[in-house]
Amino acid sequence: LNDKPLIINTIQKFVEIADEIVIPTSDAVKDVVTQYFPKIKFAKSGSNRQQSVLNALKTLQYKDFVLIHDGARPFIAPDVIKKVIDEVKIKNAVVVGVKAIDTIKTCNLEGEITSTPDRKTLYYAQTPQAFDFETILNAHLYFENELEKFTDDSSLLEKLGKKVYIVEGNYQNKKITTKEDIK
């Protein structure tokens, strides 16, 4: 993207505002990133997303709050990052999201539709997700042996009964996951 590795485009959105950046990744990605950003820190990647996040959290010294962002989301807008930072200072746990624009169906394992939730209350979760540092670290440690069950960081806090809030994002904050996404 823009003649640079995708992750470099993503990191550029954060280097000006972050005190510290830690990337849980492989040695191959580490070698690429250090060519552009020699001061970035690294953590060992885990067997799943949440284990990777925990590994990164363990490398940090105490912080007031942390932002957790997907390296495959290079289109995050600076104003959204600022909004996330402002909101996490007040609410302790926030997730960037955009309103669902499609009708969403809930199905059972056989594919039978069981309900149609009201999309006025549904959001597509994105990143960054931001949290009080100690709270999110302790949540990851609490669920350390079952982290593979969780698809994002906020769901750990939800499972613990903690409040998590939406920060309105935008639809341009796409995640590059498949070859079709690159187009």
Side-chain angles (χ1 to χ4, degrees), residues 89-151:
K89 290 176 182 177
I90 298 165
K91 297 178 178 168
N92 294 321
V94 297
V95 173
V96 172
V98 291
K99 290 182 180 181
I101 53 177
D102 299 317
T103 298
I104 296 176
K105 301 289 185 181
T106 304
C107 298
N108 63 23
L109 295 176
E110 288 77 42
E112 175 189 359
I113 295 172
T114 57
S115 69
T116 304
D118 182 354
R119 70 178 169 203
K120 286 184 246 167
T121 64
L122 299 177
Y123 281 77
Y124 300 115
Q126 300 178 338
T127 60
Q129 297 187 2
F131 308 95
D132 169 80
F133 174 72
E134 193 171 334
T135 301
I136 197 64
L137 174 60
N138 288 337
H140 277 80
L141 292 170
Y142 183 84
F143 290 112
E144 188 166 9
N145 294 323
E146 49 187 316
L147 288 172
E148 72 280 352
K149 295 179 182 178
F150 298 93
T151 58

Side-chain angles (χ1 to χ4, degrees), residues 36-182:
Y36 292 85
F37 303 106
K39 293 183 181 179
I40 286 188
K41 295 181 180 177
F42 297 92
K44 181 181 176 196
S45 59
S47 58
N48 56 62
R49 182 190 190 282
Q50 295 315 125
Q51 187 61 56
S52 293
V53 170
L54 176 56
N55 292 346
L57 291 171
K58 286 179 176 179
T59 69
L60 293 170
Q61 298 298 319
Y62 180 82
K63 303 286 182 191
D64 290 335
F65 60 89
V66 294
L67 276 66
I68 301 170
H69 188 68
D70 297 321
R73 284 191 190 272
F75 306 114
I76 182 67
D79 64 312
V80 174
I81 298 170
K82 182 177 177 352
K83 199 172 7 173
V84 167
I85 292 170
D86 291 344
E87 290 296 312
V88 74
K89 290 176 182 177
I90 298 165
K91 297 178 178 168
N92 294 321
V94 297
V95 173
V96 172
V98 291
K99 290 182 180 181
I101 53 177
D102 299 317
T103 298
I104 296 176
K105 301 289 185 181
T106 304
C107 298
N108 63 23
L109 295 176
E110 288 77 42
E112 175 189 359
I113 295 172
T114 57
S115 69
T116 304
D118 182 354
R119 70 178 169 203
K120 286 184 246 167
T121 64
L122 299 177
Y123 281 77
Y124 300 115
Q126 300 178 338
T127 60
Q129 297 187 2
F131 308 95
D132 169 80
F133 174 72
E134 193 171 334
T135 301
I136 197 64
L137 174 60
N138 288 337
H140 277 80
L141 292 170
Y142 183 84
F143 290 112
E144 188 166 9
N145 294 323
E146 49 187 316
L147 288 172
E148 72 280 352
K149 295 179 182 178
F150 298 93
T151 58
D152 78 338
D153 304 289
S154 67
S155 57
L156 281 83
L157 295 185
E158 294 164 33
K159 185 80 169 172
L160 290 171
K162 306 276 186 191
K163 291 183 180 181
V164 182
Y165 297 89
I166 283 286
V167 171
E168 197 77 35
N170 61 51
Y171 296 97
Q172 290 73 41
N173 186 18
K174 301 207 180 299
K175 185 177 180 186
I176 309 299
T177 307
T178 67
K179 289 181 181 180
E180 289 79 24
D181 295 334
I182 294 170

